[in-house]
Amino acid sequence: MGEPGFALHAAASAGDVDEIESLLQAGADVNALDADKLSPLDHAAASGCAATVQLFLDLLPPPSVDRCWSAAGWAARRQHGEVFSTLLKVLESRGALQDHLLYSCPDEARKAVWWVAKRGNVTIAAALLDDCPVAMRLETDGSTMLIVAVMFSQTDMVNFLLDRGADPFTEDSRHENAVTAAARAGSVAMINLLWESTEGAGRLERWNARGSKHPPLCKAAQEGHLQAVQRLLELGLDMETSDADGHTPLYLAAGGGPRCSGVVMWLLSQGASWWEAVQCAVQREDGGVFRTLIDIPGVEWRNPYFVREVVQRGSAVIAAELLDRWPEAINLELYEVNESKRDASMLRLAARLNHVALVQLLVARGARLRVLCAPLTALHDAARMGHLEVVQALLPDPTTLNADRRQKHRALLEYRGWRGHTALHRAVTRETTDDRQLQIVQLLLERELDLLEEHDSTRWNRLTVFRKTEGGRTPLQCCAGEQMGPVLLRHMTSERVMALGGMDWQAVLDAVQDAQNQAPNDWQTDENAMQEEERADATLWEGGDAGEELHASLERLHF
């Protein structure tokens, strides 16, 4: 309580009535607060001297309602029943114990009720509830009297309140009830007491509280209370229950750190679903829980199916934890969609799903840009599907790369995958009005030139813009929509490309004329295995912007 620091406060603490009267006659301030924000009445109530308390209550003007509640709180805290009853009668006479207390309750009143519940003095509690029944429902520091009594394992008080009609499932403002409080405190005695008091139909369902904010079993597991978890399961609670966020007891225990390790191991020994818990950790990008779960001895998780699950969720945080423990997984051959064949890697699957942060992580960790088992690369897929940020992640600024990485990135751009398609072929076959697709095409063209060494003797047939598929078609001939063609033509006839090609005008002319002469039947023959949406319009070059660009390009080349 601290040193009073004032003469009147000291006299009140000592219960010295004569000294108090003397000081009051000398003009001492009865409402003065000491360093602990306590009044002389508070000190008198804490000392337990009923005569001293009555002296202060008889003064004119009398102490305020707040000061009386504050003093009642100190009387409850020190368990002075007579003083508490005296103060309660004064509050009743001043109308401070009516039902409106539920809606406009002073903070000091809440504190007083909280101390009554915490100290567990049934006599004081009976006096309070006899004069103020609404105190049973009053939230004290966010909790009801029953919840407070449960939290501090006050068995007599809990029994008293239950006899008075307190409901163990009444929730406070934090969506916690007495059952949850018992589980959170790890009190098996409180759990047993409350279980016995809630007999009747639907008891197990109410205790499971699936989908609620704080199911008891979830709370006990989260706090690491092994004995409480074991008792709740003995009572028949569902081990796979979950809270409002879908968290199971195992998941919550795994997130509790070392203090919950015993609960984690015990739940697993009882058949709790490790897979569901780890899926939950992946979905919520909870690296701490994920780390705990995969580090459990005896749990075998190193397989392609698990890696695919992590990639599909797209969490770079989780993927980093996985790769820290299994670096080889970065280039593992995975099933892409179904289990018919393994034709993907972590990088390719992440690229297809447009998980940009995960792609960046995998590239930084040294993932292979091309997997031997796959007919196409991550770049092919991202370029075809319009994932601009993924393409940018796969093809960073060449000035940031060493010579080895530059060579690998150039090889990636030139790689002819399924049916001889480069990433550029795949990009131009996507018909869209989205500028992002044009940006992808431009980025592919620019990156290839940026990756060329100054002394490179590349000829036309080495540049991807002139590379042909197995059916003999260049990217220009595969264009879908009228916007792609002009972009390619401008690139093909740019000074930089012409210089690399040694001003080989005939090569440009041949490519342009091939595009002009393509026939619908030829296209269908070459691309019959591609999806319908990937087929280009055979009459693309007959007019419109693309046709105008074609003629303008020919004029620049002096044809």
Side-chain angles (χ1 to χ4, degrees):
M1 192 168 182
E3 292 295 331
F6 296 87
L8 186 59
H9 296 71
S13 293
D16 190 340
V17 175
D18 293 338
E19 179 67 13
I20 292 173
E21 291 177 340
S22 175
L23 290 170
L24 289 174
Q25 290 176 358
D29 186 0
V30 73
N31 294 313
L33 302 181
D34 63 12
D36 296 321
K37 307 298 183 184
L38 300 181
S39 69
L41 179 59
D42 292 327
H43 284 277
S47 72
C49 180
T52 306
V53 170
Q54 191 63 55
L55 188 157
F56 283 111
L57 291 175
D58 291 340
L59 293 175
L60 292 176
S64 67
V65 169
D66 276 0
R67 290 264 57 95
C68 288
W69 273 120
S70 177
W74 277 102
R77 185 172 182 174
R78 296 292 173 83
Q79 302 192 59
H80 299 315
E82 183 182 355
V83 171
F84 184 85
S85 296
T86 299
L87 290 162
L88 210 58
K89 284 181 172 57
V90 172
L91 288 166
E92 183 182 21
S93 68
R94 299 174 67 174
L97 304 183
Q98 305 302 317
D99 287 351
H100 65 77
L101 193 65
L102 280 174
Y103 313 105
S104 58
C105 180
D107 287 341
E108 296 299 337
R110 297 182 189 277
K111 292 178 183 177
V113 174
W114 189 87
W115 278 110
V116 170
K118 179 182 179 180
R119 287 306 189 197
N121 188 313
V122 175
T123 302
I124 292 178
L128 173 65
L129 295 181
D130 286 345
D131 292 338
C132 184
V134 297
M136 178 92 74
R137 295 178 287 158
L138 192 66
E139 286 196 11
T140 60
D141 193 28
S143 302
T144 64
M145 288 186 69
L146 181 59
I147 293 175
V148 174
V150 168
M151 287 169 53
F152 292 97
S153 296
Q154 295 290 359
T155 304
D156 291 341
M157 178 64 74
V158 171
N159 280 318
F160 168 76
L161 294 172
L162 290 173
D163 290 341
R164 284 288 186 115
D167 184 358
F169 296 104
T170 297
E171 292 187 347
D172 61 18
S173 58
R174 294 171 294 198
H175 303 285
E176 188 172 274
N177 57 41
V179 175
T180 305
R184 178 159 63 88
S187 174
V188 175
M190 288 293 106
I191 290 172
N192 290 335
L193 193 159
L194 293 172
W195 177 261
E196 293 171 1
S197 72
T198 54
E199 293 181 348
R203 174 168 65 173
L204 195 57
E205 182 179 354
R206 298 185 75 183
W207 274 70
N208 273 319
R210 181 181 294 275
S212 68
K213 194 72 174 177
H214 304 294
L217 183 57
C218 289
K219 206 64 182 176
Q222 186 176 27
E223 297 297 328
H225 299 312
L226 178 57
Q227 291 182 340
V229 170
Q230 292 171 333
R231 180 54 182 155
L232 289 169
L233 290 176
E234 287 175 1
L235 294 174
L237 271 64
D238 184 2
M239 191 184 309
E240 299 301 337
T241 191
S242 58
D243 62 17
D245 296 318
H247 298 151
T248 64
L250 178 58
Y251 173 90
L252 292 167
R259 67 190 176 119
C260 297
S261 58
V263 174
V264 170
M265 298 306 297
W266 193 83
L267 287 172
L268 287 172
S269 71
Q270 298 302 303
S273 175
W274 177 89
W275 179 243
E276 286 189 13
V278 81
Q279 279 184 312
C280 192
V282 171
Q283 183 177 354
R284 287 165 175 74
E285 298 191 58
D286 194 328
V289 172
F290 181 83
R291 188 185 312 117
T292 298
L293 289 169
I294 64 176
D295 284 345
I296 294 174
V299 175
E300 184 49 56
W301 52 268
R302 290 175 172 80
N303 62 74
Y305 302 99
F306 183 67
V307 176
R308 184 178 68 179
E309 179 72 19
V310 170
V311 176
Q312 286 177 331
R313 296 293 184 181
S315 171
V317 173
I318 298 298
E321 294 287 350
L322 184 149
L323 293 174
D324 286 344
R325 288 155 179 75
W326 191 18
E328 296 80 9
I330 198 167
N331 294 315
L332 196 66
E333 295 179 357
L334 305 177
Y335 295 112
E336 183 177 354
V337 178
N338 52 50
E339 299 184 5
S340 59
K341 60 180 179 179
R342 291 184 179 180
D343 58 355
S345 63
M346 290 185 73
L347 182 60
R348 187 182 178 201
L349 189 53
R352 287 183 62 83
L353 297 173
N354 200 25
H355 295 320
V356 180
L358 181 52
V359 170
Q360 292 171 334
L361 169 72
L362 295 171
V363 171
R365 291 283 186 112
R368 291 183 191 144
L369 299 176
R370 181 170 70 89
V371 181
L372 297 178
C373 67
L376 296 171
T377 68
L379 183 61
H380 282 77
D381 292 334
R384 173 67 185 87
M385 301 176 80
H387 299 331
L388 175 60
E389 289 79 7
V390 173
V391 174
Q392 292 170 332
L394 293 170
L395 296 174
D397 184 350
T399 60
T400 65
L401 306 175
N402 58 32
D404 180 61
R405 296 295 291 177
R406 288 173 63 93
Q407 183 179 1
K408 288 181 179 178
H409 281 75
R410 174 147 176 220
L412 176 65
L413 283 164
E414 295 180 350
Y415 175 65
R416 298 171 71 241
W418 177 75
R419 290 182 170 268
H421 284 236
T422 64
L424 182 60
H425 284 90
R426 301 286 289 179
V428 299
T429 59
R430 178 181 172 85
E431 184 173 3
T432 178
T433 58
D434 187 357
D435 288 341
R436 294 168 62 85
Q437 195 64 28
L438 291 177
Q439 293 179 50
I440 289 175
V441 171
Q442 291 169 335
L443 181 62
L444 294 173
L445 296 171
E446 292 169 3
R447 281 291 185 262
E448 183 180 28
L449 293 182
D450 293 341
L451 288 166
L452 295 176
E453 301 293 341
E454 292 183 3
H455 61 276
D456 201 310
S457 59
T458 298
R459 304 294 295 178
W460 292 104
N461 60 354
R462 288 290 305 279
L463 291 173
T464 55
V465 74
F466 290 102
R467 296 292 290 273
K468 294 184 178 182
T469 65
E470 292 177 2
R473 297 188 179 278
T474 65
L476 188 62
Q477 294 169 299
C478 296
C479 287
E482 295 189 356
Q483 292 180 306
M484 294 297 181
V487 173
L488 294 179
L489 283 169
R490 282 193 292 270
H491 181 77
M492 293 163 66
T493 59
S494 68
E495 292 183 4
R496 189 176 180 188
V497 172
M498 298 295 260
L500 287 170
M503 305 303 288
D504 192 346
W505 310 106
Q506 189 60 45
V508 179
L509 177 61
D510 291 344
V512 173
Q513 288 181 335
D514 284 345
Q516 275 186 303
N517 298 331
Q518 71 177 39
N521 291 337
D522 293 339
W523 177 260
Q524 296 290 344
T525 300
D526 180 38
E527 304 295 342
N528 56 8
M530 296 184 69
Q531 297 179 11
E532 186 67 29
E533 64 188 31
E534 292 179 307
R535 295 173 181 165
D537 184 356
T539 60
L540 175 64
W541 303 102
E542 292 181 358
D545 295 338
E548 294 177 4
E549 182 64 30
L550 171 61
H551 295 301
S553 297
L554 291 175
E555 289 180 5
R556 285 199 300 272
L557 295 173
H558 308 293
F559 292 133

